[in-house]
């Protein structure tokens, strides 16, 4: 009898420990980004961790080794298997992720995306800049730098990243309407999450297009790679590079005028918002029109498309780059 009681107690402790572990796991928030190890997503990771500590949420980031949608699918599958409560994603390919995000939702997991408005399979997508506002801001700056004429090229993270292509669409449409003497070279190049590919593509385009005067590079590594190409070809002041990038990474390039400027939102703030929204939704709260959400301000959600979009553009130029870099961006 004594042995049976001991065995029963042991089983109870084991079962209790198992439930405790499951409960702990269920509160986890995993955020899968496009690629790990680059400054933009390093800053996002810092925001995820700091906000998680402040709110008492076990939040972490998963950064694939390359901007490969298949690696994101694998990472999400792993998080589903671990039974996390919330999965956040910055998609490389919105379409490819649809089935696995729906699988997560079917498993009772909350899904939050960023840089992918209207993402199918997501409970909510949030943006710190509207697609039109972001694209047109860069287009206006490029037109100013180029004097409203000449050839320009467009880089995006990939041809399947919805938001980058929406920015490109807005920028190209604005320039076509307002600056007809500015001509797009080719269509667009999906290299801007890879600094080496951005550099080599920029070098090829410079060689093949003597009239090239500008690059719009949407994707944090695009301006860096194109800026390095401009320096190599000694085209500083002749060819202008614009786009969002991590200030700490591009600090020297913007001071040398190899990069002419751009706009960004704060990726660390985006990391914080992932956790803030996760915590809000895990507690069973709904997103309502007029809510004030830390990191987003007062929101007017698009309930039909599950988007929360605000405009918080931060200019990157010689006057601002040091301060932004000092923030760890």
């Amino acid at each position: 009898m004594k042995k049976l009681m001991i065995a029963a107690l042991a089983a109870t402790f084991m079962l209790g420990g198992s439930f405790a572990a499951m409960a702990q796991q269920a509160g986890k928030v995993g955020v899968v980004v496009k690629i790990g190890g680059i400054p933009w997503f390093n800053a996002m990771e810092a925001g995820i961790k700091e906000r998680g500590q402040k709110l008492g949420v076990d939040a972490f980031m998963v950064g694939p080794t390359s901007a490969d949608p298949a690696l994101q699918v694998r990472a999400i599958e792993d998080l589903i298997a671990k039974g996390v409560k919330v999965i956040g994603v910055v998609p490389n390919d919105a379409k490819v992720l649809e089935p696995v995000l729906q699988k997560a939702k079917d498993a009772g997991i909350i899904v939050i995306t960023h840089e992918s408005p209207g993402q199918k399979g997501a409970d909510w997508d949030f943006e710190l800049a509207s697609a039109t506002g972001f694209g047109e801001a860069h287009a206006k700056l490029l037109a100013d730098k180029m004097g409203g004429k000449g050839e320009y090229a467009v880089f995006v993270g990939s041809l399947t990243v919805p938001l980058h292509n929406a920015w490109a669409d807005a920028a190209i449409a604005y320039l076509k309407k307002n600056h007809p003497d500015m001509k797009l070279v080719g269509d667009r190049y999906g290299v801007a999450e890879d600094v080496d590919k951005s550099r080599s593509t920029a070098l090829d385009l410079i060689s093949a297009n003597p009239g090239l005067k500008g690059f719009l590079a949407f994707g944090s590594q695009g301006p860096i790679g194109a800026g390095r190409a401009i320096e190599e070809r000694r085209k500083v002041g002749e060819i202008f590079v614009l786009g969002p990038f991590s200030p700490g990474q591009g600090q020297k390039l913007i001071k040398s005028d190899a990069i002419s400027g751009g706009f960004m939102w704060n990726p660390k703030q985006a990391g914080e918002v992932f956790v803030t929204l996760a915590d809000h939704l895990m507690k069973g709260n709904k997103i309502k029109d007029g809510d004030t959400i830390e990191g987003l301000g007062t929101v007017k959600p698009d309930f039909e498309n599950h988007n929360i979009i605000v405009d918080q553009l931060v200019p990157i130029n010689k006057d601002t780059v040091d301060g932004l870099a000092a923030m760890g961006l």
Side-chain angles (χ1 to χ4, degrees):
M1 177 66 77
K2 187 174 182 180
K3 287 182 178 180
L4 286 173
M5 290 177 63
I6 292 171
L9 282 169
T12 300
F13 283 127
M14 288 175 65
L15 194 59
S18 176
F19 283 138
M22 288 173 66
Q24 184 181 27
Q25 190 71 41
K28 287 183 180 292
V29 176
V31 180
V32 180
V33 299
K34 292 179 180 179
I35 185 171
I38 65 173
W40 186 271
F41 291 116
N42 289 343
M44 186 174 288
E45 184 173 27
I48 291 166
K49 289 181 176 178
E50 288 180 17
R51 189 66 177 159
Q53 290 175 355
K54 184 174 181 179
L55 295 177
V57 173
D58 188 352
F60 58 93
M61 190 183 89
V62 179
T65 54
S66 69
D68 181 351
L71 294 180
Q72 287 195 310
V73 171
R74 192 181 307 166
I76 295 166
E77 290 273 13
D78 184 55
L79 292 176
I80 294 170
K82 289 179 177 176
V84 299
K85 184 63 176 175
V86 181
I87 293 177
V89 191
V90 186
N92 280 311
D93 189 320
K95 191 71 176 175
V96 168
L97 294 187
E98 285 179 17
V100 73
L101 295 183
Q102 187 59 52
K103 182 178 178 180
K105 287 188 72 174
D106 291 343
I109 297 170
I110 297 165
V111 177
I112 301 170
T113 59
H114 175 53
E115 293 190 29
S116 195
Q119 175 69 54
K120 290 184 179 179
D123 290 281
W124 286 101
D125 177 87
F126 74 91
E127 306 298 333
L128 298 180
S130 68
T132 299
F134 198 74
E136 289 188 355
H138 281 91
K140 291 173 184 176
L141 188 55
L142 182 66
D144 180 61
K145 295 292 183 181
M146 290 176 55
K149 59 185 178 180
E151 296 178 345
Y152 70 99
V154 173
F155 290 175
V156 291
S158 83
L159 301 182
T160 56
V161 175
L163 192 56
H164 288 196
N165 286 280
W167 296 337
D169 289 343
I172 292 166
Y174 176 86
L175 292 172
K176 186 175 181 179
K177 179 180 179 180
N178 296 282
H179 299 281
D181 291 332
M182 291 178 67
K183 305 296 183 182
L184 178 64
V185 171
D187 185 10
R188 60 193 73 173
Y189 303 85
V191 296
E193 294 296 353
D194 187 313
V195 68
D196 293 324
K197 288 180 181 178
S198 292
R199 171 187 162 275
S200 61
T201 302
L203 289 170
D204 290 343
L205 287 169
I206 292 168
S207 296
N209 300 278
L212 189 65
K213 297 297 180 185
F215 287 96
L216 275 180
F218 296 122
S220 67
Q221 299 304 292
I224 306 300
R228 290 176 182 174
I230 298 304
E231 285 191 329
E232 287 181 44
R233 290 296 171 87
R234 299 184 180 181
K235 295 289 186 179
V236 173
E238 298 177 33
I239 299 178
F240 305 96
V241 176
L242 297 171
F245 60 93
S246 294
Q249 188 182 19
Q251 203 167 8
K252 291 182 180 179
L253 290 169
I254 202 163
K255 288 186 175 182
S256 72
D257 289 318
I259 297 176
S260 297
F263 300 89
M264 62 177 285
W265 61 90
N266 187 331
K268 183 177 180 183
Q269 181 180 344
E272 293 169 354
V273 171
F274 262 124
V275 181
T276 299
L277 285 177
D279 182 61
H280 187 78
L281 295 171
M282 280 193 294
K283 291 175 177 175
N285 296 317
K286 303 292 185 182
I287 305 293
K288 301 185 295 295
D289 189 31
D291 278 352
T292 299
I293 299 172
E294 188 168 349
L296 294 173
T298 302
V299 300
K300 294 185 175 297
D302 174 353
F303 293 100
E304 181 179 354
N305 297 300
H306 305 280
N307 295 328
I308 304 171
I309 300 174
V310 298
D311 271 309
Q312 297 188 9
L313 293 187
V314 178
I316 318 171
N317 53 43
K318 288 181 178 179
D319 293 330
T320 64
V321 70
D322 287 341
L324 292 170
M327 294 167 60
L329 301 175

